[in-house]
Amino acid sequence: MQITLKLFATFRNGRFKVAEQELLEGTDVRAVVLSLGLTEEEIGIVMLNGRHGELDSKLAHGDTLSLFPLVGGG
Amino acid sequence: MRNALTFLKEQTKDDLLSWRAQDTTAKLFDISHAAVEWLALQNGILPARYQRNRSMIGVEEQLRLFQSRVAVIGCGGLGGYVLEELARLGVGQIVAIDPDIFEEHNLNRQILSTPASLGQPKVAVAAERLAQVNPAVTVIPIQDAFCLNNGFELLAGVSIAVDALDSIPYRLQLAEVCTLAGIPMVHGAIGGWYGHVATQFPGETTVQNIYRHWVAGKGIEQQLGNPSFTPAVVASLEVAEVCKVLLGKGEPLRNRKLSIDLLEMEVHEISYAEVPVKLVDAA
């Protein structure tokens, strides 16, 4: 299956803004995060098809997954 | 007070009360600037300092802002701008909460910090600054760290809480206190070129959802720091939300988060599932 993966803010550094990714059926968000060399602790927001998603969310063909880093300063 | 009112009416020109007349009234009748402002607004007289608000915020709404009590939790990067803007907006009572003193690394962005204020408590400097900006505003400075233990006491009587904290666990405590106390909360956070804003009404869990994946530590701000402009942008968005919630106007950022990237100049909105809650009149 194919998904669209969008990266935001510092996640773009040395990677990409948007890319099509070929994944095995049943892949979850966590597996994509780890494949990027990111850790779960670095993840702020998981957005799946424009809505709040989870690391455990299973991906489906045609999904758009967006990942934002954790932001907590003031 | 009737004499003071008569005097105020005599001093009013083109429906506006000049600062000089406000100040004279306070001195002549030995009442506070807050009392003069209240008397004016109650009687449909707009202090001239708010004249450029008038077409978006009427006299009755200006009175509503004046009668509101807003808590600003954190008086650093975000908090400094939030406090300044709330005071200029005419919010009558502002609770400023922060345990810290100004340090040199604050000078690149925290508007309340100057070389002269280094070593001074942030809330004391805030009270001094706001007294200069708008003497009709009452500032309640609290030099303490907000947490679950003191949160209910600190937010007593508050219409809305503004998150200007720099720590995720303290934010989550603020969100919890706001939820339990039934107080709306405007959330803002920054890191480097990036920031986000959301508004949460009692019963909603946007802030808890934003940090759902949080385990420990800080976000990207730990590596990136914060420049001068990111806190100003995010703080201003937060104050716009406060103004709207207090006046019941417009569309606050409920069940959605605005994510801002100032490096690529991109704004993204993330939607959160709506939690059915009864409508709350914040003011």
Side-chain angles (χ1 to χ4, degrees), chain B residues 9-60:
Chain B
K9 284 182 174 167
E10 284 166 7
Q11 302 295 313
T12 302
K13 288 187 187 112
D14 301 328
D15 299 328
L16 295 174
L17 181 68
S18 71
W19 169 250
R20 184 190 283 266
Q22 244 183 303
D23 194 39
T24 306
T25 309
K27 286 179 180 137
L28 207 58
F29 295 90
D30 195 23
I31 53 178
S32 67
H33 288 108
V36 177
E37 186 144 320
W38 178 82
L39 193 61
L41 290 169
Q42 279 282 351
N43 289 281
I45 301 167
L46 188 70
R49 65 171 298 136
Y50 303 121
Q51 59 188 297
R52 292 289 187 274
N53 285 356
R54 189 152 51 170
S55 55
M56 16 177 321
I57 299 165
V59 181
E60 279 175 26

Side-chain angles (χ1 to χ4, degrees), chain B residues 66-269:
Chain B
F66 182 72
Q67 290 176 317
S68 298
R69 187 181 177 99
V70 176
V72 181
I73 303 94
C75 301
L78 291 173
Y81 286 100
V82 169
L83 288 163
E84 177 89 11
E85 293 178 19
L86 289 176
R88 289 189 189 274
L89 189 62
V91 168
Q93 293 175 62
I94 301 173
V95 185
I97 305 166
D98 198 304
D100 294 333
I101 58 169
F102 280 116
E103 297 179 66
E104 200 159 350
H105 58 82
N106 301 147
L107 289 171
N108 80 322
R109 68 192 185 285
Q110 300 192 12
I111 194 170
L112 289 169
S113 67
T114 59
S117 67
L118 296 179
Q120 290 181 38
K122 293 183 176 181
V123 294
V125 177
E128 209 173 299
R129 167 73 185 165
L130 268 49
Q132 287 174 354
V133 168
N134 192 346
V137 169
T138 304
V139 180
I140 301 109
I142 295 166
Q143 194 182 354
D144 201 355
F146 183 98
C147 63
L148 283 174
N149 291 332
N150 63 12
F152 294 95
E153 195 187 326
L154 297 184
L155 297 190
V158 158
S159 312
I160 185 163
V162 188
D163 168 13
L165 288 157
D166 64 353
S167 138
I168 296 168
Y170 281 116
R171 268 198 180 90
L172 290 170
Q173 293 187 45
L174 172 62
E176 192 171 337
V177 171
C178 285
T179 296
L180 294 170
I183 298 169
M185 165 182 175
V186 177
H187 159 65
I190 53 171
W193 299 88
Y194 315 100
H196 66 244
V197 190
T199 295
Q200 172 165 304
F201 276 56
E204 295 170 353
T205 52
T206 312
V207 176
Q208 286 90 336
N209 278 328
I210 287 172
Y211 293 112
R212 178 172 287 193
H213 306 298
W214 177 78
V215 188
K218 289 182 172 282
I220 53 174
E221 66 279 5
Q222 188 152 38
Q223 291 82 42
L224 299 177
N226 282 303
S228 65
F229 45 83
T230 312
V233 170
V234 171
S236 296
L237 294 171
E238 289 191 271
V239 175
E241 289 291 278
V242 170
C243 180
K244 283 153 55 185
V245 172
L246 289 177
L247 299 180
K249 285 188 161 195
E251 283 296 330
L253 283 164
R254 290 181 73 176
N255 300 309
R256 56 201 176 111
K257 186 191 87 160
L258 211 59
S259 233
I260 298 134
D261 175 343
L262 296 171
L263 186 60
E264 311 268 348
M265 277 303 171
E266 292 177 10
V267 176
H268 299 276
E269 188 176 306

Side-chain angles (χ1 to χ4, degrees), chain A residues 4-62:
Chain A
T4 302
L5 178 57
K6 292 183 176 177
L7 301 180
F8 293 88
T10 48
F11 287 171
R12 290 175 174 175
N13 300 345
R15 296 191 187 89
F16 51 85
K17 283 187 188 179
V18 57
E20 301 296 316
Q21 295 228 321
E22 193 64 40
L23 301 175
L24 291 172
E25 294 291 330
T27 303
D28 64 10
V29 173
R30 181 176 283 104
V32 176
V33 165
L34 298 177
S35 76
L36 290 164
L38 296 169
T39 62
E40 288 183 31
E41 288 74 26
E42 292 176 83
I43 300 297
I45 300 295
V46 172
M47 188 162 79
L48 195 51
N49 302 321
R51 296 193 75 84
H52 179 72
E54 299 295 337
L55 286 165
D56 295 327
S57 300
K58 292 265 187 271
L59 296 162
H61 181 73

